[in-house]
Amino acid sequence: YESIGSLQVEVFRLNRLVDDLYQLALSDVGALKYRKSDVILTDILCDAIDRARPKLAERSLTLTALLPQDPVFVFADPERLAQLFDNLLENSQKYTDAFGTIDVSLESDKGCVTVNIMDSGPGVTEEDRGKLFDRLYRVEGSRSRLSGGAGLGLAICRNIVEAHEGAIEALHSPLGGIWIKITLAVSEGRQ
């Protein structure tokens, strides 16, 4: 039974790899479908946080969220934004030391909205942070074969953000890990 379980894990990883490669290929040729409309970014982010909480609890990670009470609207594809936040929170869950902290915040100012996802250690070097969104790039010191991905998830995140005419960057987190900063435009007429 142990070998069957191991095979199931490998099949799942390969399926995810194929899906990630397919999505990147579609994005490269401009064929990735986006169904944009005015959506409430705060709701999409809250839902992603709720989906992440069980896995965070398994690793004894504390998540705090500082989100505005009033809805923040963006012109976006809600499924792609959910995919973006799910991926980023999954990365924080995987690569933050047990008993660590993840802080999520959303700030709106002058027609822009900024989503910040900061985690506690371990961090990465400045050189590694500059390459995190490159395809197939992995920070070897923090990723094992069992828990690490293929280095495609953050490349997909960058493509999603850029398809929404936004910006994404990796900075040093004041908590000791990585700070992912995403900037998007607030929906016109909703500023």
Side-chain angles (χ1 to χ4, degrees), residues 9 23 25 35 41 46 48 54 58-60 67-69 85 113 118 122 126 128 132 154 158 181:
V9 169
Q23 287 196 30
R35 294 181 176 94
L41 181 62
C46 281
E58 286 176 15
R59 301 211 47 241
S60 300
L67 307 176
Q69 295 286 33
F85 297 136
V113 62
M118 298 183 197
E126 187 174 338
D128 285 332
L132 285 178
L154 290 177
R158 180 181 58 199
K181 181 178 180 180

Side-chain angles (χ1 to χ4, degrees), residues 2-12:
E2 191 175 305
S3 62
I4 290 174
S6 177
L7 287 173
Q8 284 178 321
V9 169
E10 281 301 309
V11 167
F12 175 77

Side-chain angles (χ1 to χ4, degrees), residues 20 52 57 92 119 121 165 173:
D20 286 352
S92 285
D119 57 43
E165 299 175 17
S173 169

Side-chain angles (χ1 to χ4, degrees), residues 19-29 32 135-136 151-153 155-157 159:
D19 183 55
D20 286 352
L21 286 169
Y22 180 67
Q23 287 196 30
L24 274 174
L26 288 177
S27 181
D28 284 347
V29 297
L32 195 57
R135 291 163 198 221
L136 306 177
L152 298 173
I156 292 171
C157 288
N159 285 0

Side-chain angles (χ1 to χ4, degrees), residues 31-165:
L32 195 57
K33 300 286 186 226
Y34 286 88
R35 294 181 176 94
K36 295 180 183 178
S37 61
D38 281 340
V39 296
I40 301 173
L41 181 62
T42 41
D43 288 351
I44 296 168
L45 187 53
C46 281
D47 290 346
I49 289 169
D50 288 343
R51 285 189 299 275
R53 284 196 190 276
K55 290 236 180 204
L56 296 172
E58 286 176 15
R59 301 211 47 241
S60 300
L61 296 171
T62 302
L63 185 142
T64 58
L66 182 59
L67 307 176
Q69 295 286 33
D70 295 330
V72 175
F73 288 86
V74 293
F75 186 70
D77 181 323
E79 289 182 24
R80 295 294 174 200
L81 287 185
Q83 179 183 8
L84 168 71
F85 297 136
D86 287 346
N87 188 309
L88 292 172
L89 289 169
E90 181 181 338
N91 274 3
S92 285
Q93 174 262 314
K94 280 183 182 178
Y95 304 121
T96 300
D97 288 340
F99 304 101
T101 303
I102 299 169
D103 287 350
V104 179
S105 67
L106 189 151
E107 303 162 356
S108 183
D109 186 40
K110 298 180 184 174
C112 288
V113 62
T114 303
V115 176
N116 298 294
I117 300 175
M118 298 183 197
D119 57 43
S120 55
V124 298
T125 67
E126 187 174 338
E127 179 183 345
D128 285 332
R129 278 196 312 274
K131 297 176 184 177
L132 285 178
F133 299 103
D134 293 351
R135 291 163 198 221
L136 306 177
Y137 187 77
R138 294 170 27 145
V139 180
E140 293 305 325
S142 67
R143 299 176 188 235
S144 72
R145 185 177 182 279
L146 295 176
S147 65
L152 298 173
L154 290 177
I156 292 171
C157 288
R158 180 181 58 199
N159 285 0
I160 291 170
V161 171
E162 288 177 353
H164 287 87
E165 299 175 17

